[in-house]
Amino acid sequence: MFGRIDHIGVAVEDLDEAVSLYSERLGMPVQHRETVEQQGVEAVLLGVGENHVELLRPLSPETAVGRFLERNGPGMHHVAYGTDDIDSALEQARAAGLALIDDRPRAGIRGSRVAFVHPKSTGGVLTELVEAAEGH
Ligand code: CO
């Protein structure tokens, strides 16, 4: 079901400040910046080895990440696992009895397809499945 860790999602209040922390002080190169309306976020991907840190700023307080920030403040938001076939990974997650937030994949950053699994069925960790677009 899970091929590899793709990225760690981090919720932030100030995206530019977080980008300068991760890129300048932690030395991770910025690879991509995009507003993903469907997830209610502006996101930045930074490279770390073959994997990424995904910084997430909510577009409004009513989004999922906005509510997360309200409850918890900035910090770790989710872990994303890469898969080559998200439809079959989602089917396996369903068969394993995991509580799916997304019944079917939706549009993610950089042309990817993503689906989230509820933290209540994954030990308190919001879990994302991601199938990268061709070439990423
Ligand atoms: Co993510």
Side-chain angles (χ1 to χ4, degrees), residues 3-134:
R4 61 196 166 275
I5 289 179
D6 184 86
H7 65 265
I8 305 291
V10 178
V12 308
E13 274 162 0
D14 184 326
L15 191 54
D16 290 323
E17 190 179 286
V19 166
S20 86
L21 168 64
Y22 276 82
S23 65
E24 288 161 29
R25 297 179 67 195
L26 303 181
M28 300 181 195
V30 172
Q31 294 187 345
H32 186 72
R33 184 167 184 145
E34 180 180 342
T35 296
V36 188
E37 297 282 351
Q38 232 187 328
Q39 291 186 39
V41 296
E42 182 180 7
V44 170
L45 285 177
L46 300 107
V48 51
E50 296 177 349
N51 314 100
H52 302 91
V53 169
E54 179 185 67
L55 303 175
L56 302 164
R57 177 188 71 82
L59 297 178
S60 86
E62 289 76 43
T63 60
V65 174
R67 287 191 297 272
F68 175 91
L69 276 179
E70 180 67 35
R71 274 196 314 273
N72 306 290
M76 271 280 303
H77 181 257
H78 65 269
V79 175
Y81 295 90
T83 173
D84 295 331
D85 180 352
I86 195 169
D87 299 293
S88 110
L90 207 47
E91 211 38 66
Q92 289 174 59
R94 197 191 323 270
L98 303 182
L100 305 181
I101 292 174
D102 299 301
D103 274 335
R104 64 190 67 185
R106 55 182 153 136
I109 193 169
R110 201 155 62 171
S112 61
R113 298 168 72 217
V114 305
F116 284 87
V117 178
H118 199 285
K120 72 185 179 192
S121 65
T122 45
V125 180
L126 177 61
T127 299
E128 177 182 5
L129 295 168
V130 51
E131 180 188 301
E134 283 304 301

